[in-house]
Amino acid sequence: MRLSVTKKDALIVVDMQNDFMPGGALGIDGADRIVERINDYVRLFEKLSQPVYFTRDWHPKNHISFKENGGVWPRHCVQKSEGAKFHKDLYIPSDNRFVISKGTFEDFDAYSAFQGTELKSLLGERAIRRVFICGVATDYCVKHTLLGAINLGFETSFLYDAVKGVELHEGDCAAAVQEMLEAGTLLCEIDDFIDRRV
Ligand code: VGL
Ligand code: ZN
């Protein structure tokens, strides 16, 4: 595939936070190993002056998704905690970047970065039509954010060299990719971008 980043494109980096890294509250194997590739994408969009949206899971301390409150997850990404911070090596440019906090209401969870956030209007303001999505977790927030984008009429690409999943049950990630493909996403990787080769 040959892709170039245009004025209608944005990058969405999903939930690259300490609690999702190995050793974190909801650690994902290999999540730290995609940081450098994500940084490659961030630099590419930065170089071409296109916006980058960094989402973060940002839960109140009594969040409904936590086991102690009847949810399915260990306590994670509590607002302002160390675990909720972005990975220390994640490259966050000083311009043209936005942080989107999700899951911020105590009594409902949001796997999609479009749920209860300003992401849609921020993209609309810039006339963004196509979004490239990477980060964690393939089988939760990445998938739901990507399907949310499709539902809102965006073209989407799943950056398969810059994602990792939870894989609570074997096959969850493969099923998530299948679902995204059926919904109409493209799969791409860094070498597909011609701007990067020149
Ligand atoms: C996520 C589980 C719980 C995610 C967030 O970012 O994919 N997964 N909260
Ligand atoms: Zn969460």
Side-chain angles (χ1 to χ4, degrees):
M1 203 183 317
R2 285 167 59 82
L3 281 169
S4 58
V5 176
T6 71
K7 288 285 152 208
K8 63 176 188 167
D9 296 333
L11 178 65
I12 302 177
V13 177
V14 178
D15 296 4
M16 288 299 289
Q17 297 163 274
N18 291 331
D19 272 344
F20 295 120
M21 299 297 140
L26 222 166
I28 297 170
D29 271 355
D32 51 339
R33 283 188 271 114
I34 62 173
V35 174
E36 278 312 309
R37 177 47 46 85
I38 289 179
N39 290 347
D40 293 338
Y41 285 113
V42 174
R43 287 195 200 92
L44 175 67
F45 278 72
E46 179 186 39
K47 186 170 89 181
L48 299 163
S49 302
Q50 288 308 107
V52 181
Y53 300 84
F54 293 90
T55 77
R56 64 181 180 184
D57 221 26
W58 196 245
H59 298 316
K61 58 183 185 306
N62 285 321
H63 194 243
I64 189 175
S65 77
F66 300 164
K67 279 181 182 152
E68 67 254 35
N69 301 320
V72 293
W73 304 112
R75 171 189 273 242
H76 64 281
C77 296
V78 173
Q79 292 170 8
K80 299 184 184 154
S81 67
E82 200 51 40
K85 287 192 180 147
F86 290 121
H87 186 285
K88 66 175 181 15
D89 298 329
L90 183 67
Y91 174 55
I92 300 183
S94 42
D95 296 323
N96 249 337
R97 49 88 165 175
F98 305 84
V99 173
I100 306 292
S101 302
K102 65 180 171 57
T104 58
F105 302 102
E106 204 167 275
D107 38 13
F108 72 83
D109 202 8
Y111 288 142
S112 164
F114 290 98
Q115 262 178 291
T117 73
E118 294 198 301
L119 182 55
K120 178 186 174 210
S121 61
L122 290 172
L123 295 169
E125 279 169 19
R126 294 238 171 182
I128 299 298
R129 306 291 313 282
R130 186 165 70 162
V131 292
F132 294 83
I133 302 184
C134 58
V136 293
T138 306
D139 36 359
Y140 293 94
C141 290
V142 168
K143 179 182 96 167
H144 287 273
T145 298
L146 190 145
L147 295 177
I150 292 177
N151 277 328
L152 291 168
F154 293 96
E155 283 176 54
T156 62
S157 287
F158 174 76
L159 301 172
Y160 66 84
D161 55 350
V163 292
K164 279 284 180 267
V166 176
E167 193 85 350
L168 208 54
H169 308 283
E170 203 184 320
D172 282 358
C173 289
V177 171
Q178 188 59 33
E179 195 178 335
M180 291 185 270
L181 281 174
E182 280 166 17
T185 198
L186 288 181
L187 297 192
C188 50
E189 61 171 336
I190 197 81
D191 288 333
D192 292 326
F193 289 83
I194 50 182
D195 319 272
R196 183 150 191 275
R197 295 185 217 144
V198 290

Coordinates of all heavy atoms in Angstrom, one line a residue, residues 14-17 20 26 28 55-59 63 65-66 72-74 76-77 102 109-111 135-145 164-166, ligand 1:
V14 N -3.9 5.7 21.4 CA -4.8 5.3 22.4 C -4.1 4.8 23.7 O -3.3 3.8 23.6 CB -5.8 4.2 21.9 CG1 -6.8 3.7 23.0 CG2 -6.6 4.7 20.7
D15 N -4.3 5.5 24.8 CA -4.1 4.9 26.1 C -2.7 4.4 26.4 O -2.5 3.4 27.1 CB -5.1 3.9 26.5 CG -6.5 4.4 26.6 OD1 -6.7 5.6 26.3 OD2 -7.4 3.6 26.9
M16 N -1.6 5.1 25.9 CA -0.3 4.6 26.2 C 0.2 5.1 27.6 O 1.1 5.9 27.7 CB 0.7 5.1 25.1 CG 0.4 4.4 23.8 SD 0.7 2.6 23.9 CE 2.5 2.6 24.0
Q17 N -0.5 4.5 28.6 CA -0.3 4.9 30.0 C 0.4 3.8 30.8 O 0.3 2.6 30.5 CB -1.7 5.2 30.6 CG -2.4 6.3 29.9 CD -3.9 6.3 30.3 OE1 -4.6 5.7 29.6 NE2 -4.2 7.0 31.3
F20 N -1.1 0.4 31.7 CA -1.2 -0.7 30.6 C 0.1 -1.2 30.2 O 0.2 -2.1 29.3 CB -2.0 0.0 29.4 CG -3.4 0.3 29.7 CD1 -3.8 1.7 29.6 CD2 -4.3 -0.6 30.1 CE1 -5.1 2.0 29.9 CE2 -5.6 -0.2 30.5 CZ -6.0 1.1 30.3
L26 N -2.9 -3.0 34.9 CA -3.6 -3.8 33.9 C -2.6 -4.0 32.7 O -2.8 -3.7 31.6 CB -4.8 -3.0 33.4 CG -6.1 -3.7 33.2 CD1 -7.3 -2.7 33.0 CD2 -6.0 -4.5 31.9
I28 N -0.1 -5.0 29.8 CA -0.3 -5.7 28.6 C 1.1 -6.1 28.1 O 2.0 -5.3 27.9 CB -1.0 -4.8 27.5 CG1 -2.4 -4.5 28.0 CG2 -1.0 -5.5 26.2 CD1 -3.1 -3.4 27.2
T55 N -5.2 9.8 23.6 CA -6.3 9.5 24.6 C -5.7 8.9 25.8 O -4.6 8.3 25.8 CB -7.3 8.5 24.0 OG1 -6.8 7.2 24.0 CG2 -7.7 8.9 22.6
R56 N -6.4 9.1 26.9 CA -6.0 8.5 28.2 C -7.2 8.0 28.9 O -8.3 8.7 28.9 CB -5.1 9.4 29.0 CG -5.9 10.6 29.5 CD -4.9 11.5 30.3 NE -5.7 12.7 30.8 CZ -5.1 13.7 31.4 NH1 -3.9 13.7 31.7 NH2 -5.9 14.8 31.8
D57 N -7.1 6.8 29.5 CA -8.1 6.3 30.4 C -7.9 7.2 31.7 O -6.8 7.3 32.2 CB -7.8 4.8 30.7 CG -9.0 3.9 30.7 OD1 -10.0 4.3 30.1 OD2 -8.9 2.9 31.4
W58 N -9.0 7.7 32.2 CA -8.9 8.7 33.3 C -10.0 8.6 34.3 O -11.0 9.4 34.3 CB -8.8 10.1 32.6 CG -8.3 11.3 33.4 CD1 -9.1 12.4 33.8 CD2 -7.0 11.5 33.8 NE1 -8.3 13.3 34.4 CE2 -7.0 12.8 34.5 CE3 -5.8 10.8 33.8 CZ2 -5.8 13.3 35.1 CZ3 -4.6 11.3 34.3 CH2 -4.7 12.6 35.0
H59 N -9.9 7.5 35.1 CA -11.0 7.2 35.9 C -11.0 7.8 37.3 O -9.9 7.9 37.9 CB -11.0 5.6 36.2 CG -11.1 4.8 34.9 ND1 -12.0 5.1 33.9 CD2 -10.5 3.7 34.5 CE1 -11.9 4.2 33.0 NE2 -11.0 3.3 33.3
H63 N -14.4 4.2 40.3 CA -15.0 3.9 39.0 C -15.7 2.5 38.9 O -15.2 1.5 39.5 CB -13.9 4.0 37.9 CG -14.4 4.0 36.5 ND1 -14.2 3.1 35.6 CD2 -15.2 5.0 35.9 CE1 -14.9 3.4 34.5 NE2 -15.5 4.6 34.6
S65 N -15.9 0.4 36.6 CA -15.2 -0.7 35.9 C -14.3 -1.5 36.8 O -13.8 -2.5 36.4 CB -14.5 -0.2 34.7 OG -13.3 0.4 35.1
F66 N -14.1 -1.0 38.1 CA -13.1 -1.6 39.0 C -13.8 -2.8 39.7 O -15.0 -2.7 40.1 CB -12.6 -0.6 40.0 CG -11.8 0.5 39.4 CD1 -11.5 1.7 40.2 CD2 -11.4 0.5 38.1 CE1 -10.8 2.7 39.7 CE2 -10.7 1.6 37.6 CZ -10.4 2.7 38.4
V72 N -15.1 -5.4 35.9 CA -14.2 -6.6 35.6 C -12.7 -6.3 35.7 O -11.9 -7.2 35.5 CB -14.6 -7.0 34.1 CG1 -16.0 -7.6 34.1 CG2 -14.4 -5.9 33.1
W73 N -12.4 -5.1 35.9 CA -10.9 -4.7 35.8 C -10.4 -4.4 37.2 O -11.1 -3.8 38.1 CB -10.7 -3.5 34.9 CG -11.2 -3.7 33.6 CD1 -12.3 -3.0 33.0 CD2 -10.7 -4.6 32.5 NE1 -12.5 -3.4 31.7 CE2 -11.5 -4.4 31.4 CE3 -9.7 -5.5 32.5 CZ2 -11.3 -5.1 30.2 CZ3 -9.5 -6.2 31.3 CH2 -10.3 -6.0 30.2
P74 N -9.1 -4.7 37.4 CA -8.4 -4.2 38.6 C -8.4 -2.7 38.5 O -8.5 -2.1 37.4 CB -7.0 -4.8 38.5 CG -6.8 -5.2 37.1 CD -8.2 -5.5 36.5
H76 N -7.4 0.8 37.9 CA -6.3 1.3 36.9 C -6.6 2.7 36.5 O -7.8 3.2 36.5 CB -6.3 0.4 35.7 CG -7.5 0.4 34.9 ND1 -8.7 -0.3 35.2 CD2 -7.9 1.1 33.8 CE1 -9.6 0.0 34.4 NE2 -9.2 0.8 33.5
C77 N -5.6 3.4 36.1 CA -5.7 4.7 35.5 C -6.5 5.7 36.3 O -7.4 6.4 35.7 CB -6.1 4.6 34.0 SG -5.0 3.8 33.0
K102 N -10.9 10.0 28.9 CA -12.2 9.2 28.8 C -12.4 8.4 30.0 O -11.5 8.1 30.7 CB -12.2 8.4 27.5 CG -11.1 7.3 27.5 CD -11.2 6.5 26.2 CE -10.0 5.6 26.2 NZ -9.8 4.7 27.3
D109 N -18.5 3.3 32.0 CA -17.2 3.2 31.4 C -17.3 3.6 29.9 O -18.4 3.5 29.3 CB -16.7 1.7 31.5 CG -15.2 1.6 31.4 OD1 -14.5 2.7 31.4 OD2 -14.7 0.5 31.4
A110 N -16.1 3.9 29.4 CA -16.1 4.3 28.0 C -14.8 3.7 27.4 O -13.7 4.0 27.8 CB -16.0 5.8 27.9
Y111 N -15.0 2.7 26.5 CA -13.9 2.2 25.8 C -13.6 3.0 24.5 O -12.5 2.9 24.0 CB -14.2 0.7 25.3 CG -14.2 -0.3 26.4 CD1 -15.1 -1.3 26.4 CD2 -13.3 -0.2 27.5 CE1 -15.1 -2.3 27.4 CE2 -13.3 -1.2 28.5 CZ -14.2 -2.2 28.5 OH -14.2 -3.1 29.5
G135 N -2.0 2.1 19.5 CA -2.0 2.1 21.0 C -2.5 0.8 21.5 O -2.4 -0.2 21.0
V136 N -3.1 1.0 22.7 CA -3.6 -0.2 23.4 C -5.1 0.1 23.9 O -5.4 1.3 24.1 CB -2.8 -0.6 24.7 CG1 -1.4 -1.1 24.2 CG2 -2.6 0.6 25.6
A137 N -5.9 -0.9 24.1 CA -5.7 -2.3 23.8 C -6.5 -2.6 22.5 O -7.6 -2.2 22.4 CB -6.2 -3.2 25.0
T138 N -5.8 -3.4 21.6 CA -6.5 -3.8 20.4 C -7.9 -4.2 20.6 O -8.8 -3.8 19.8 CB -5.7 -4.9 19.7 OG1 -4.3 -4.5 19.6 CG2 -6.2 -5.3 18.4
D139 N -8.1 -5.1 21.6 CA -9.4 -5.7 21.8 C -10.4 -4.9 22.7 O -11.5 -5.4 22.9 CB -9.2 -7.2 22.3 CG -8.1 -7.3 23.3 OD1 -7.4 -6.3 23.6 OD2 -7.9 -8.4 23.8
Y140 N -9.9 -3.7 23.1 CA -10.8 -2.9 23.9 C -10.9 -1.5 23.3 O -11.6 -1.1 22.4 CB -10.5 -2.9 25.4 CG -10.8 -4.3 26.0 CD1 -9.8 -5.3 26.0 CD2 -12.1 -4.6 26.3 CE1 -10.1 -6.5 26.5 CE2 -12.4 -5.9 26.8 CZ -11.4 -6.8 26.9 OH -11.8 -8.1 27.3
C141 N -10.0 -0.6 23.9 CA -10.2 0.8 23.5 C -9.8 1.1 22.1 O -10.4 2.0 21.5 CB -9.4 1.7 24.5 SG -10.3 1.7 26.1
V142 N -8.8 0.4 21.6 CA -8.4 0.7 20.2 C -9.6 0.3 19.3 O -10.1 1.1 18.4 CB -7.1 -0.1 19.8 CG1 -6.9 -0.1 18.3 CG2 -5.9 0.5 20.5
K143 N -10.1 -0.9 19.5 CA -11.2 -1.4 18.7 C -12.5 -0.5 18.8 O -13.1 -0.1 17.8 CB -11.6 -2.8 19.1 CG -12.8 -3.3 18.3 CD -13.2 -4.7 18.7 CE -14.4 -4.7 19.7 NZ -15.0 -6.0 20.0
H144 N -12.8 -0.1 20.0 CA -14.1 0.7 20.2 C -13.9 2.1 19.6 O -14.8 2.7 19.1 CB -14.5 0.7 21.6 CG -15.1 -0.6 22.0 ND1 -16.5 -0.9 21.8 CD2 -14.6 -1.7 22.5 CE1 -16.7 -2.2 22.2 NE2 -15.6 -2.7 22.7
T145 N -12.7 2.6 19.8 CA -12.4 4.0 19.2 C -12.5 3.9 17.7 O -13.1 4.8 17.0 CB -11.0 4.5 19.7 OG1 -11.1 4.6 21.1 CG2 -10.7 5.8 19.1
K164 N -1.1 -3.2 20.7 CA -1.1 -4.5 21.5 C -2.4 -4.7 22.2 O -3.1 -3.7 22.5 CB 0.0 -4.4 22.6 CG 1.4 -4.6 22.1 CD 1.7 -6.1 21.9 CE 3.1 -6.4 21.4 NZ 3.3 -6.5 20.0
G165 N -2.8 -5.9 22.4 CA -4.1 -6.2 23.0 C -3.9 -6.9 24.4 O -2.9 -7.4 24.7
V166 N -5.0 -6.9 25.1 CA -5.1 -7.6 26.4 C -5.1 -9.1 26.3 O -4.5 -9.8 27.0 CB -6.4 -7.1 27.2 CG1 -6.5 -7.9 28.5 CG2 -6.3 -5.6 27.5
Ligands
VGL1 C1 -8.9 -0.3 28.5 C2 -9.7 -2.0 29.8 C3 -10.1 -1.1 30.7 C4 -8.2 0.1 27.2 C5 -9.4 0.6 29.4 O1 -7.6 1.2 27.2 O2 -8.2 -0.7 26.3 N1 -9.1 -1.6 28.7 N2 -10.0 0.2 30.5

